[in-house]
Amino acid sequence: MTERTHTPGPAREEAGAPSPLPPRPARNRKRGPSRPRPARLRPADVVRLGSTGLRTRPLRVFLSALGIAIGVAAMIAVVGISGSGQAEVDRRLDALGTNLLRVAPGESLSGEKAELPEESVAMIRRIPPVQEVAATGDTGAHVYRNDRIAIGHTGSLSVLAADTGLLPTVGGRLREGRWLDSATEEYPAVVLGATAAQRLDVYRPGIRLWIGGRWFSLIGVLDPVPLAPELDSAALVGRPAARTHLRFDGHPSTVYVRAEDSRVTAVREVLPATAYPEKPGEVRISRPSDALAAREATESALTGLLLGLGGVALLVGGVGVGNTMVISVLERRTEIGLRRALGATRAQIRTQFVMESLLLSLIGGLAGTVLGTLITSGYALSRDWPTVVPAWASAAGIGSTLLIGAAAGLYPAVRASRLAPTQALAGT
């Protein structure tokens, strides 16, 4: 049997065996107190902190948010009512058409009013793209409620000789009774425009009116005619009856022309020479739909002015929010000092008060958006308009309130964050 020998330590090191490391001497290090890390606030915590100040002062929050809400409601109501009016104009134009042209006499070289020839209507009807033609002529007579009214008290009402095809040409509608036709145009029958009926206090057919020194029977009353408002303040009689009873000379004072939509511009260019070949310069051509568009542009300018006033109201509301936040900082010095003493950083204090200002402005912005939408809806329904509240107006209203809220709350937030804990607690 072989005897096992024990190898000493150096021999084992030579054999490649690892040797234990000598223990390190202990060092006496003096460690100072560890600095506490500031707590991190999650977004939900920031919102909760910001809403705390609002919940504790509900009356002040209501009054401050009311200023913002009034400004936003004014802006949205102005934009909404303007948009609803524009939608109504577009709807009317779609229903009435934009292919109506109006031909009227202008002025002669001597400055006197020109006169369209009697055959102008027949000549215009020969233009291929023309679909409908109808004319009215001024008879020079006046209409009265009865024969006991003094001459001269006309109420600015005119008596016009009208073609039977006038009503469909201008897109007019009857409110009561019937329109002139082949059976009534030769007899002393009259149809009143909407304004004429109101001024004469006559709303139903079946009565007699004094026109040109004789009685005419009322057979119909028109609704307002948007594309021919001059017909609203007129009494309309048939052309044959006007010649027989009112000494009408037959010259048209206004010719209404319907043309193909794609050829309106071309027809407009040839109308002066067609209506009055000898003196085309004495003919005026207009497009009634352009007048409605011009009125819409005027209303848009007024809308811009009202939007400016709404912006001023919104700015005043922002000043109210800033004032509320400054007072809130002064009243909550104890809370600020206590939070700073417990480790809250200046950034966290700033974030808390800016969030409070943003929430206050957001409440006002949402309330103003709802209020402005309700105002727009109520006004549009009262006028029988389509209700239109552009999405960009609501987004702009809320976005502007948030910007104003951030700006209004920034100074009070910075002021709150600069308060030292001892200074804030000592001031209680």
Side-chain angles (χ1 to χ4, degrees):
M1 293 184 62
T2 58
E3 215 179 300
R4 290 186 180 180
T5 57
H6 224 38
T7 356
R12 293 181 64 187
E13 289 176 8
E14 291 176 3
S19 60
L21 296 175
R24 293 182 179 180
R27 297 180 182 178
N28 296 329
R29 294 182 179 177
K30 295 182 179 179
R31 296 184 179 180
S34 59
R35 300 179 64 183
R37 296 181 180 179
R40 294 183 178 180
L41 294 178
R42 296 173 298 178
D45 298 329
V46 175
V47 174
R48 192 179 301 110
L49 277 174
S51 62
T52 301
L54 302 182
R55 292 195 302 267
T56 56
R57 297 167 179 84
L59 181 59
R60 185 180 299 170
V61 169
F62 171 76
L63 295 177
S64 300
L66 183 61
I68 291 285
I70 291 174
V72 175
M75 294 178 66
I76 291 181
V78 167
V79 174
I81 292 174
S82 175
S84 300
Q86 181 177 352
E88 174 64 15
V89 171
D90 294 339
R91 187 176 70 173
R92 287 186 182 181
L93 290 178
D94 290 340
L96 300 173
T98 58
N99 60 340
L100 179 66
L101 297 172
R102 180 166 50 202
V103 183
E107 292 184 354
S108 62
L109 295 177
S110 60
E112 299 178 355
K113 188 174 181 180
E115 198 172 58
L116 293 176
E118 292 185 45
E119 60 273 11
S120 58
V121 176
M123 296 174 66
I124 292 172
R125 192 174 281 116
R126 296 175 184 173
I127 302 175
V130 170
Q131 297 172 332
E132 294 177 290
V133 182
T136 60
D138 191 0
T139 64
H142 299 289
V143 56
Y144 299 95
R145 181 67 175 80
N146 53 58
D147 58 349
R148 291 182 293 275
I149 297 177
I151 295 176
H153 295 178
T154 63
S156 300
L157 303 179
S158 58
V159 179
L160 302 178
D163 292 336
T164 55
L166 176 65
L167 200 60
T169 301
V170 299
R173 295 183 302 176
L174 276 167
R175 179 185 299 171
E176 296 284 346
R178 59 186 292 185
W179 174 243
L180 299 168
D181 52 27
S182 58
T184 56
E185 66 173 348
E186 297 182 1
Y187 298 96
V190 60
V191 176
L192 292 179
T195 304
Q198 181 179 4
R199 292 178 184 173
L200 294 172
D201 195 23
V202 174
Y203 301 99
R204 292 187 178 277
I207 68 169
R208 296 189 305 168
L209 299 174
W210 187 254
I211 301 176
R214 66 161 299 154
W215 293 104
F216 276 68
S217 298
L218 178 65
I219 63 172
V221 178
L222 298 179
D223 275 332
V225 185
L227 292 183
E230 63 275 6
L231 300 180
D232 295 341
S233 57
L236 304 167
V237 300
R239 292 178 70 86
R243 286 180 180 272
T244 304
H245 304 291
L246 302 177
R247 296 184 294 277
F248 175 53
D249 59 8
H251 290 279
S253 56
T254 306
V255 181
Y256 301 94
V257 182
R258 286 275 184 185
E260 296 177 8
D261 291 333
S262 58
R263 305 291 298 277
V264 172
T265 304
V267 171
R268 186 173 186 172
E269 291 176 355
V270 301
L271 272 178
T274 305
Y276 203 168
E278 293 144 2
K279 299 178 181 178
E282 296 182 4
V283 179
R284 292 187 294 110
I285 310 297
S286 60
R287 195 172 182 176
S289 58
D290 292 342
L292 291 179
R295 187 178 68 183
E296 182 181 334
T298 303
E299 291 176 354
S300 299
L302 180 61
T303 298
L305 175 62
L306 295 177
L307 277 178
L309 295 177
V312 172
L314 189 59
L315 184 60
V316 171
V319 173
V321 171
N323 185 37
T324 299
M325 296 307 301
V326 169
I327 296 175
S328 179
V329 169
L330 294 176
E331 291 179 345
R332 297 161 65 185
R333 291 168 64 94
T334 305
E335 174 192 340
I336 297 170
L338 185 59
R339 289 201 61 214
R340 293 281 285 127
L342 293 177
T345 64
R346 291 184 174 182
Q348 291 173 349
I349 298 296
R350 285 195 299 267
T351 304
Q352 172 187 350
F353 281 90
V354 169
M355 177 56 66
E356 185 172 330
S357 178
L358 287 175
L359 290 176
L360 180 57
S361 300
L362 181 61
I363 292 172
L366 292 175
T369 302
V370 173
L371 181 60
T373 303
L374 292 176
I375 292 174
T376 302
S377 301
Y379 186 83
L381 289 175
S382 68
R383 301 292 297 273
D384 197 21
W385 290 357
T387 302
V388 177
V389 179
W392 66 264
S394 301
I398 295 176
S400 60
T401 58
L402 292 178
L403 289 176
I404 290 177
L410 188 59
Y411 169 73
V414 172
R415 181 174 179 177
S417 66
R418 289 178 177 175
L419 287 175
T422 54
Q423 178 186 358
L425 293 173
T428 58

